[in-house]
Amino acid sequence: MKKSIQPGTLILNFVKYFSLIAASLIAVIPVVVCVLTAFKSNEEYANTSVLALPKSFGYLENFKIALEKANMLRGFLNTAIVLVVVLAASIMISAMLAYVLNRFTFPGRGMIENLFLFASLLPGIAMQVTIYKIMYALGFINHLYGYMVVLMGTDIISIYIFLQFFENLPTSLDESAIMDGCTYFGVFFRILFPLLKPAIMTSLVLKGVSVYNEYYASSLYLTLPELKTISTALYTFTGPYGNQYNYICAGVLITIIPILIFFLVFQKQVYSGMAAGAVKG
């Protein structure tokens, strides 16, 4: 005999699945519109609906114009240089800070941790006037290294990720290495740092996405055309008299390609790193 389903359960299931479908459509529709727009000519884009299919998905002129006019290859190069330097420096700075805060006891340690937490609550844009004055005084405007210094500033989220992992590593590892004649630097680089691979992957994903998509600081500190990053290159097709969305959408699809390739190649490491970074103990 089949068990009857209560009306309340039916309503709950309907609301649940309707919410999931609605959320999926909200997330997918902008991507679909971007793909369709990227393959439309100027005339076709002006005379058709945003959800109308293009005449041909073989129309690649928009991608060619986006690459050449926006100088996206130069933007990719600049972004790649910034990514490598900023990620390497941020990981090392965050891991070392977390090591000191977790393994050593000294006056003011609690205050430093609280200051990091307080700093994470401050909106970055509220401090840009002061930062810009400092950058200008140091001659860091319109230089990639100055932009890198801004981005590799203390990453609060990464520090707390590494702190969490250090709490799960027993201090007996440090004590044994020191008894064998290892220095504190040796303990960190030879013993502890290799054990932080899940935390490193988690921080790389979070920081990497943030740096790759960063627009405000790059538009503020890198105003020369040859210093464009991939995010600011897309704004070549915006202006006071209108935006050329078919070129912008083509450029957006081009910028997605490197991230998509990275994800497909390293998805196992990304998933394992994010899962390990989300669980304590």
Side-chain angles (χ1 to χ4, degrees):
M1 183 177 179
K2 293 184 179 180
K3 187 177 180 181
S4 61
I5 301 177
Q6 299 296 326
T9 304
L10 286 173
I11 294 174
L12 183 62
N13 288 336
F14 173 79
V15 172
K16 179 174 64 176
Y17 288 111
F18 178 81
S19 301
L20 291 173
I21 293 172
S24 300
L25 289 175
I26 292 172
V28 169
I29 287 177
V31 179
V32 173
V33 171
C34 182
V35 173
L36 296 178
T37 304
F39 291 95
K40 293 181 179 180
S41 63
N42 291 330
E43 182 180 353
E44 189 178 0
Y45 173 72
N47 298 320
T48 60
S49 167
V50 292
L51 290 175
L53 293 175
K55 292 181 180 178
S56 173
F57 282 99
Y59 183 79
L60 303 178
E61 188 66 22
N62 292 340
F63 296 89
K64 181 181 177 181
I65 293 175
L67 282 170
E68 294 177 354
K69 190 174 179 180
N71 200 8
M72 293 187 70
L73 293 180
R74 182 68 184 183
F76 275 121
L77 177 61
N78 290 337
T79 301
I81 295 172
V82 171
L83 268 175
V84 171
V85 175
V86 170
L87 290 181
S90 295
I91 293 299
M92 292 306 302
I93 293 172
S94 300
M96 288 181 175
L97 279 172
Y99 171 64
V100 171
L101 292 174
N102 180 261
R103 288 306 205 247
F104 297 91
T105 302
F106 53 89
R109 186 181 70 170
M111 183 184 69
I112 293 174
E113 292 183 2
N114 292 330
L115 286 175
F116 283 145
L117 180 60
F118 177 73
S120 66
L121 301 177
L122 295 175
I125 195 171
M127 299 178 285
Q128 286 303 319
V129 174
T130 303
I131 295 175
Y132 189 88
K133 288 182 177 180
I134 295 173
M135 293 278 288
Y136 182 80
L138 295 174
F140 282 175
I141 306 295
N142 282 326
H143 292 288
L144 275 182
Y145 57 80
Y147 176 63
M148 293 175 192
V149 170
V150 172
L151 294 185
M152 72 175 63
T154 305
D155 190 352
I156 309 298
I157 295 177
S158 294
I159 290 175
Y160 281 104
I161 290 174
F162 284 112
L163 277 172
Q164 172 184 304
F165 270 80
F166 275 119
E167 289 176 0
N168 297 325
L169 297 178
T171 56
S172 57
L173 293 174
D174 309 42
E175 296 168 355
S176 300
I178 291 173
M179 289 180 63
D180 290 337
C182 198
T183 64
Y184 288 119
F185 284 99
V187 171
F188 175 78
F189 286 106
R190 295 183 180 181
I191 309 298
L192 300 180
F193 193 73
L195 300 176
L196 297 175
K197 289 181 180 179
I200 292 172
M201 180 56 69
T202 304
S203 298
L204 283 176
V205 172
L206 295 177
K207 186 71 174 180
V209 170
S210 174
V211 172
Y212 191 78
N213 293 329
E214 202 285 320
Y215 169 75
Y216 181 80
S218 58
S219 64
L220 185 63
Y221 300 117
L222 303 176
T223 59
L224 298 178
E226 63 270 18
L227 295 178
K228 284 183 178 180
T229 59
I230 196 61
S231 59
T232 55
L234 293 176
Y235 282 79
T236 302
F237 305 107
T238 63
Y241 300 106
N243 302 324
Q244 298 169 294
Y245 286 108
N246 50 338
Y247 300 144
I248 293 175
C249 290
V252 169
L253 295 184
I254 293 173
T255 61
I256 291 175
I257 292 174
I259 296 297
L260 184 61
I261 294 174
F262 174 84
F263 177 78
L264 292 176
V265 174
F266 298 102
Q267 58 180 322
K268 182 178 180 181
Q269 291 83 352
V270 170
Y271 281 135
S272 62
M274 293 294 289
V279 180
K280 181 179 178 180

